[in-house]
Amino acid sequence: MKNSAISERKNQSISRGVGMTTQIYADRAENSEIWDVEGRRYIDFSSGIAVVNTGHRHPKVIEAVKAQLDRFTHTCHQVVPYESYVRLAERLNGMLPGKFEKKTIFVTTGAEAVENAVKIARNATGRPAVIAFAGGFHGRTFMGMALTGKVVPYKVGFGAMPADVFHAPFPVALHGISVADSLAALDRLFKADVDPARVAAIIVEPVQGEGGFYEAPREFMTALRKICDQHGMLLIADEVQTGFARTGKMFAMDHHEVAPDITTMAKSLAGGFPLSAVTGRAEIMDAPNPGGLGGTYGGSPIGVAAAHAVLDVIEEENLCDRANTLGNRLKQRLQSIRDDTPEIVDIRGPGFMNAVEFNEVKKGLPSAEIANAVRLKALDKGLILLTCGVYGNVIRFLAPITIQDGVMNEALDILESSIREVWAA
Ligand SMILES: Cc1ncc(COP(=O)(O)O)c(C=O)c1O
């Protein structure tokens, strides 16, 4: 089979609305490597967009899923429940930041977790409005899309957004927005657009993902917590991309001094199987009536079994420490390239949630062209990279945290030569 032949069939059969960054069709994958249908090997620095932090087909995850397949695959937890769901909720309740009683629900995708977090926050507070941040990404459902702070491609042409969603600027010093600027804008929002007494929640990614891998400064998160407490709003941390050891701690909010009231999780929770979760203060999570939350596939026994194995692997293999080690190696290598590459304007990111940002030097403007050229050059050499950022000028690195040292070295060499060759061209 040829990638090009499948690609032609894809053009005839799949909506172009499903964007694809590569046209290499997967045949098999193992830890940090993917082989395509033509037998070519790639090093995967995308992890299916932050989904396989524990690597493709981690033996423990596969073993847990196989064992579950042999017992039952679906009963619908709302009809015939299972203990593994309860146990996973107990584990997450005990793991998430905040010294208070917590409860959890399981659904299927990140967007669905966000939808449910907003439903719960509205129900618990009796208030309708939600505040999100420019550059934030929260999914492609209607509420996810409304909360998302990036117009193209996520909102364009999709009609009226749900009402009562407001955006404030996210603090990114590199782009001239300080924490004080963001907080002043929030204050203006409360004066000009929405009565804070009508706001159910502020939703924030502790490190913006699609928006460019910008980490929320500590003082910003502390200030958001204070604003929420002052006005009776809830703080929702969207940890869909940041969760499960990626930032060098189990959750990105573990880097902060304050805890959110509600956390959304998905992606790496189940190491490649569709499962998402919402965990929050017990009394808030209990606000909706029975039947108000859930879904046919929510908390699939296969996903739940995989998630138990993922949590075990993160602990047994010390993946938080490993994320810090790998991230430091990556950032050091990028730093050494930066010395003679003025187009690199920033290298950043906690743990192994790292990014490099490019500007066109003469005009000093963000350059999506450079980021894309590096991505394509690396792909040509067998390394899968992803871009991100409101301006598309950021390359984000999301390799499995289980990547072997030899494969990591190989990937760093490809990255370095790709960046240098784009310059030489
Ligand atoms: C922070 C964040 N929230 C929500 C989502 C939506 O998740 P999903 O694509 O599983 O619906 C994503 C996906 O990238 C995300 O990064």
Side-chain angles (χ1 to χ4, degrees):
M1 246 190 301
K2 284 271 181 221
N3 288 311
S4 57
I6 307 174
S7 185
E8 267 175 39
R9 284 168 48 208
K10 185 261 322 175
N11 290 339
Q12 298 302 317
S13 57
I14 309 277
S15 162
R16 69 188 187 102
V18 183
M20 294 170 203
T21 58
T22 77
Q23 280 300 298
I24 50 174
Y25 285 82
D27 180 46
R28 66 192 174 88
E30 209 70 60
N31 197 358
S32 54
E33 295 161 286
I34 295 179
W35 287 263
D36 74 3
V37 289
E38 295 175 19
R40 177 152 189 216
R41 165 188 173 264
Y42 291 84
I43 300 174
D44 184 13
F45 261 40
S46 74
S47 293
I49 319 187
V51 168
V52 289
N53 284 359
T54 48
H56 291 280
R57 301 183 70 256
H58 191 289
K60 289 221 158 157
V61 175
I62 297 299
E63 191 189 332
V65 167
K66 281 185 176 162
Q68 184 59 47
L69 283 174
D70 285 339
R71 292 173 57 232
F72 62 95
T73 59
H74 178 81
T75 57
C76 185
H77 191 263
Q78 288 136 254
V79 181
V80 180
Y82 27 96
E83 185 270 344
S84 56
Y85 182 118
V86 179
R87 192 160 28 93
L88 188 61
E90 289 166 347
R91 288 182 85 172
L92 291 180
N93 294 343
M95 251 175 203
L96 277 144
K99 288 191 181 65
F100 41 79
E101 291 283 305
K102 301 184 194 81
K103 286 194 174 183
T104 290
I105 63 160
F106 294 107
V107 276
T108 309
T109 65
E112 215 187 336
V114 168
E115 294 281 337
N116 279 280
V118 172
K119 278 172 68 176
I120 293 164
R122 283 181 164 174
N123 205 308
T125 59
R127 302 171 176 195
V130 188
I131 295 173
F133 292 94
F137 182 79
H138 300 286
R140 291 180 173 85
T141 52
F142 261 103
M143 183 49 82
M145 185 167 60
L147 293 169
T148 289
K150 184 175 174 185
V151 173
V152 180
Y154 303 121
K155 297 185 180 211
V156 106
F158 291 118
M161 298 289 141
D164 270 326
V165 172
F166 300 86
H167 286 91
F170 189 80
V172 180
L174 186 68
H175 293 239
I177 305 169
S178 66
V179 169
D181 294 335
S182 277
L183 296 175
L186 261 178
D187 203 43
R188 256 195 317 278
L189 197 72
F190 294 146
K191 290 193 166 52
D193 289 313
V194 59
D195 175 1
R198 289 184 67 252
V199 177
I202 297 180
I203 183 163
V204 62
E205 291 165 273
V207 183
Q208 284 199 332
E210 305 293 312
F213 276 33
Y214 301 106
E215 192 175 5
R218 245 171 170 224
E219 78 236 63
F220 183 62
M221 206 55 93
T222 306
L224 289 185
R225 180 70 270 172
K226 209 166 147 202
I227 291 168
C228 285
D229 292 343
Q230 198 181 340
H231 296 289
M233 305 165 188
L234 303 179
L235 184 61
I236 304 175
D238 184 345
E239 293 248 22
V240 166
Q241 194 156 158
T242 50
F244 305 101
R246 174 55 58 187
T247 67
K249 296 205 184 261
M250 195 59 161
F251 298 102
M253 284 304 291
D254 289 326
H255 294 278
H256 292 277
E257 284 158 337
V258 294
D261 301 295
I262 299 177
T263 301
T264 54
M265 294 154 272
K267 291 192 185 277
S268 269
L269 166 61
F273 294 86
L275 182 73
S276 62
V278 184
T279 299
R281 286 182 185 274
E283 67 279 13
I284 291 170
M285 296 297 293
D286 269 340
N289 283 322
L293 305 175
T296 306
Y297 296 108
S300 141
I302 310 286
V304 167
H308 279 293
V310 164
L311 297 182
D312 292 344
V313 167
I314 292 175
E315 201 184 317
E316 287 161 15
E317 299 187 15
N318 290 319
L319 291 190
C320 290
D321 290 347
R322 178 82 180 142
N324 288 318
T325 305
L326 290 165
N328 286 336
R329 273 170 66 188
L330 173 58
K331 285 186 279 190
Q332 266 166 22
R333 178 67 78 99
L334 286 165
Q335 206 59 51
S336 72
I337 306 169
R338 184 185 192 169
D339 292 343
D340 37 19
T341 314
E343 287 80 0
I344 294 180
V345 289
D346 198 29
I347 295 160
R348 59 174 173 268
F352 203 24
M353 186 166 181
N354 312 124
V356 57
E357 179 154 349
F358 297 99
N359 272 10
E360 202 274 307
V361 168
K362 276 195 201 119
K363 297 187 196 134
L365 293 175
S367 174
E369 290 72 29
I370 296 175
N372 216 28
V374 171
R375 180 183 73 80
L376 289 174
K377 182 70 81 181
L379 187 64
D380 213 38
K381 292 168 179 280
L383 174 66
I384 300 170
L385 297 176
L386 291 174
T387 56
C388 66
V390 175
Y391 306 104
N393 67 325
V394 177
I395 290 184
R396 55 174 153 169
F397 302 99
L398 284 167
I401 307 169
T402 48
I403 188 170
Q404 311 91 318
D405 282 325
V407 181
M408 177 73 180
N409 289 338
E410 204 187 326
L412 291 181
D413 289 345
I414 295 177
L415 177 65
E416 173 160 0
S417 67
S418 301
I419 294 178
R420 292 196 188 282
E421 283 171 33
V422 164
W423 269 229

